[in-house]
Amino acid sequence: MDLHYIDGSPFARMARVLILEHGLRADLHEITAFPPPEDHLALNPLGHVPVLADGGESFFPTSIVLDVILSKARPGVVAAAVGWAGTERQDAQLLAVILTMGDALVAHHYALWAGVGPVGVDRLGFDPAARNMRRVRTTLDWLEERIGPEGFHPGIISVQDVALACLILWTESRGEIAWRGRPGIEAMVSRLEGRPAFLATVPRPHRLNESGALRPEAPGAT
Ligand SMILES: N[C@@H](CCC(=O)N[C@@H](CS)C(=O)NCC(=O)O)C(=O)O
């Protein structure tokens, strides 16, 4: 299988961590432009990473990429698949909520980096970037109520743990948010961040230029 990724992408990092944790063979293709170039749209019409190409098919978005990777992993190793016995719907909801929160998080940061501001009369009545950050905070509270002392599933490192840790660690390197003060999430992130699969996928620093555009020489800038 072939994984197309950007170094800084927290969504792509989830896939890279799962591949490493499970010792799966994959050819990694780093995209150094941001946003990904035009020809990437042939792989994913949404223009996003990660994309997993396997058996002539192109898999996206992230939830599907993670599902395909986990379907190739031996059960019982590190990150269990969605579908813990009897809690399939809750597992699926947890992962979907974490990934949707990730969308809000990156949309918030992109809006700031792009210097987006009012260009006309506000007929909506709220600031979309601020609303996205509020969504992130309330979702972190919701997740904190559901995480246990051993993460989202006792006894294993779950895909939900991996997904949330990748998003939190992205904010640590790309623009901090007030995520601390939630002991369950803090404990989970500190347990995972030192694992070899996480250390091997730490995002390189990125730089924004003065005009707000990402520097072309900043590979994997998200
Ligand atoms: N909901 C998407 C999120 C993926 C995403 O936002 N990827 C970012 C990098 S972190 C991206 O590729 N952005 C390129 C763009 O916005 O055109 C998914 O699950 O695949």
Side-chain angles (χ1 to χ4, degrees), residues 9-11 34-36 47-49 61-62 103 110 222:
S9 166
F11 297 97
F34 189 79
H48 288 142
V49 292
T62 305
D103 287 336
Y110 288 176
T222 65

Side-chain angles (χ1 to χ4, degrees), residues 126-189:
F126 67 87
D127 170 356
R131 178 89 179 143
N132 273 329
M133 192 40 68
R134 175 155 176 67
R135 220 186 301 286
V136 169
R137 282 197 305 270
T138 51
T139 304
L140 286 173
D141 291 339
W142 185 89
L143 292 168
E144 177 68 17
E145 284 168 17
R146 282 154 183 82
I147 201 165
E150 296 181 58
F152 288 108
H153 281 300
I156 58 158
I157 293 172
S158 68
V159 66
Q160 291 83 0
D161 296 327
V162 170
L164 182 56
C166 287
L167 290 169
I168 297 284
L169 293 170
W170 181 78
T171 67
E172 291 288 284
S173 70
R174 295 302 193 249
E176 290 182 30
I177 63 166
W179 67 274
R180 292 187 187 277
R182 296 175 180 88
I185 294 178
E186 280 193 31
M188 183 277 288
V189 171

Side-chain angles (χ1 to χ4, degrees), residues 12 23 26 31 45 49 67 70 74 76 110 116 123 148 160 184-185 207:
I31 296 172
V49 292
D67 192 47
L70 289 169
R74 280 181 295 117
Y110 288 176
V116 171
R123 287 178 293 155
Q160 291 83 0
I185 294 178
R207 284 179 296 160

